[in-house]
Amino acid sequence: MLNFGKLLAFFLSAVLLFNDLGCGKQKEEGVTISFLDTEDKNGAWAEVIATFEAMNPGSKVRLIEGPASTDTRESQYATSLLARDSTYDLIYLDVVWVPKFSANGWLVPLDEYFPPALQEEFLPGDIQASTYAGHIWRIPIRSNGGMLYYRKDLLESANLEPPRTFEELVDISQKLQNPPDVWGFVFQGKQYEGLTCVFLEILRGFGGDVLSPDGRCVFDSPESVATLTWMRDAIFQERIVPEAVRTYEENESLVSFLSGKSIFMRNWPYAWKVCNEEGSEIGGKVGIIPMPHVPDQSSSSTSGGWGFGVSQFSRHKDEALKFAFHAARPESLKVFARKQGGAPSRKSLYKDSELVALFPHYPELYEVLIHAQPRPVHPRYAEMSDVLQRHVSAVLTDTETPEGAVREAAGEINEILARSS
Ligand code: GLC
């Protein structure tokens, strides 16, 4: 017969031994904080991590480099957090993950550590996107807003003003392009989160939206049909957008623009630095303007961005939070701006003389960021975005009509809303 007492004693000593080993190891090596982001381009994270480690001897920070697409990184984080796993102490959160991750109980509320007086120092859109259900969950690091990049040199030499409306974008493209060598307009057309961002900018520029301010689905509208019709026609009718756009994420669009193969590009702020870097063929020839709109509407920029949340399952929450605040210091944000071209989340840096000397477009960028609009704020946003991505994508491949896509997508979004009420 099993001796329960003996078994229990064995189990307890094993646990103690295990803990002891764990603690001993930690004392020797100190605490290591881990998080996931994309590849550390130009060593920006490495520099910010090095200053943190120098200021906090014994602490280590480990960046796990993951894939470029936000969707894939979300799945990677979600898989780990669903298993209540402590691999990631910090979650480097895309703005759109905040409602889902906080509603699932994966994040530590930060109200106590990140009070309103401190929040004031950051761009209002970033704070709004970090707040959900009355709590703040995220410390903003990189701000983002979509905008239109254009070849200033080409427009100027043809005596053309930058476009304000979709019609002007088509006209100018047709005047200056020479497909298949040079196309009018490129954007993120692949079926992933980036497509939802661009689609929303065009939709809002047409006066439409997906949800109303009180959370009802308003997608089944003539504006949605007009948006999808414009996007489809830009490929098949007006021929200002290459069919290959359906495979483009941010970097593929940028590669086309950088190599002079397109005149207009929709992208995020980081692209400015790459366009003007030493050795760039288009250095000094690039302008930025807000996205186009129809004559009686105004332009719209989708707000994006990245920031730190602390995992509920981290065993080193204090240290994790300390690093998150370190990464949000003005000095660190300047490293990200200089090395990655990331737009800082702190308002004051848009007037910082060193940064403005490097990035003379900061006044225009600030205007874009300050007016950027969030994607639908909902714990089931990822499902809604998935619906939009599928149907927009089907229109871009001409396998669904704009009318059919709008009807179907609106129906599916209504089902998602019904399931969550
Ligand atoms: C950028 C934005 C992010 C968005 C993603 C889409 O990284 O900051 O919010 O979801 O692009 O590709």
Side-chain angles (χ1 to χ4, degrees):
M1 219 176 90
L2 280 176
N3 180 330
F4 183 71
K6 262 194 189 156
L7 251 185
L8 185 67
F10 173 74
F11 175 71
L12 282 177
S13 61
V15 168
L16 286 175
L17 179 70
F18 179 78
N19 274 344
D20 217 36
L21 279 178
C23 288
K25 204 167 157 211
Q26 243 154 50
K27 266 179 215 142
E28 266 167 39
E29 296 180 6
V31 168
T32 299
I33 301 301
S34 300
F35 70 99
L36 172 76
D37 188 23
T38 49
E39 182 200 338
D40 186 18
K41 288 205 192 85
N42 298 328
W45 278 119
E47 184 174 336
V48 170
I49 290 172
T51 53
F52 179 78
E53 291 178 349
M55 289 159 81
N56 297 277
S59 294
K60 291 258 167 272
V61 179
R62 179 164 162 250
L63 159 67
I64 301 169
E65 290 175 308
S69 140
T70 172
D71 311 52
T72 327
R73 272 180 287 140
E74 182 186 6
S75 321
Q76 239 166 290
Y77 271 128
T79 308
S80 159
L81 293 163
L82 269 171
R84 309 173 74 82
D85 173 290
S86 61
T87 305
Y88 306 114
D89 299 282
L90 285 169
I91 318 295
Y92 197 52
L93 291 153
D94 188 340
V95 280
V96 280
W97 307 348
V98 172
K100 172 173 154 184
F101 281 38
S102 57
N104 282 357
W106 295 341
L107 301 176
V108 176
L110 302 178
D111 312 66
E112 211 181 307
Y113 320 98
F114 193 23
L118 199 52
Q119 294 176 24
E120 259 300 297
E121 296 173 15
F122 293 80
L123 288 162
D126 286 297
I127 293 300
Q128 197 192 336
S130 305
T131 310
Y132 184 70
H135 298 284
I136 185 131
W137 305 95
R138 195 186 81 123
I139 300 163
I141 306 285
R142 173 190 280 234
S143 192
N144 254 342
M147 55 202 165
L148 194 68
Y149 287 76
Y150 71 100
R151 285 288 300 279
K152 224 166 34 182
D153 57 326
L154 299 182
L155 267 70
E156 274 168 15
S157 62
N159 241 332
L160 294 165
E161 287 295 313
R164 277 155 308 153
T165 64
F166 294 113
E167 220 180 309
E168 288 169 2
L169 176 69
V170 172
D171 279 356
I172 301 175
S173 294
Q174 287 177 337
K175 281 194 183 110
L176 299 180
Q177 70 177 7
N178 180 26
D181 297 330
V182 181
W183 291 91
F185 178 40
V186 292
F187 55 89
Q188 295 77 59
K190 185 175 160 180
Q191 188 178 327
Y192 81 118
E193 184 58 29
L195 178 58
T196 305
C197 298
V198 183
F199 173 66
L200 279 176
E201 283 161 357
I202 303 181
L203 175 65
R204 288 167 172 166
F206 268 90
D209 214 326
V210 176
L211 299 187
S212 62
D214 61 351
R216 280 172 309 107
C217 175
V218 291
F219 189 60
D220 195 352
S221 71
E223 288 81 9
S224 301
V225 175
T227 303
L228 284 172
T229 307
W230 186 84
M231 290 177 83
R232 181 195 61 189
D233 290 354
I235 299 179
F236 298 103
Q237 206 76 38
E238 318 288 3
R239 297 195 171 277
I240 62 161
V241 173
E243 289 190 29
V245 85
R246 298 180 302 221
T247 62
Y248 287 5
E249 291 190 8
E250 284 81 357
N251 280 334
E252 289 76 13
S253 330
L254 184 52
V255 165
S256 155
F257 192 66
L258 277 176
S259 54
K261 294 205 166 103
S262 40
I263 301 158
F264 297 101
M265 166 186 70
R266 184 276 176 201
N267 217 323
W268 304 105
Y270 83 101
W272 198 92
K273 176 179 183 302
V274 188
C275 291
N276 290 293
E277 233 151 39
E278 243 189 71
S280 158
E281 276 177 40
I282 56 168
K285 300 177 179 166
V286 175
I288 56 164
I289 42 168
M291 287 291 284
H293 50 86
V294 291
D296 58 340
Q297 294 293 332
S298 45
S299 111
S300 171
S301 167
T302 297
S303 67
W306 297 86
F308 276 126
V310 177
S311 163
Q312 274 294 5
F313 311 115
S314 164
R315 288 193 231 114
H316 314 293
K317 297 189 178 70
D318 291 346
E319 208 58 19
L321 190 62
K322 212 190 224 180
F323 179 67
F325 275 118
H326 173 84
R329 292 161 73 221
E331 295 82 350
S332 306
L333 299 186
K334 284 172 77 166
V335 174
F336 296 126
R338 275 198 311 265
K339 294 203 157 172
Q340 301 178 331
S345 54
R346 283 180 183 269
K347 293 189 271 195
S348 63
L349 293 180
Y350 290 86
K351 296 207 176 96
D352 179 273
S353 52
E354 190 194 341
L355 287 186
V356 175
L358 279 174
F359 303 118
H361 68 302
Y362 263 24
E364 288 114 293
L365 175 59
Y366 188 77
E367 280 308 301
V368 168
L369 295 175
I370 212 89
H371 292 116
Q373 289 174 276
R375 284 160 265 178
V377 178
H378 197 280
R380 304 188 84 141
Y381 167 75
E383 292 166 57
M384 291 181 202
S385 175
D386 183 63
V387 169
L388 293 171
Q389 289 164 35
R390 264 190 292 111
H391 290 288
V392 175
S393 194
V395 171
L396 297 187
T397 48
D398 211 11
T399 49
E400 203 174 13
T401 62
E403 292 78 4
V406 167
R407 209 177 33 247
E408 293 289 322
E412 291 174 38
I413 291 171
N414 272 320
E415 277 170 30
I416 295 170
L417 290 174
R419 279 205 297 278
S420 40
S421 58

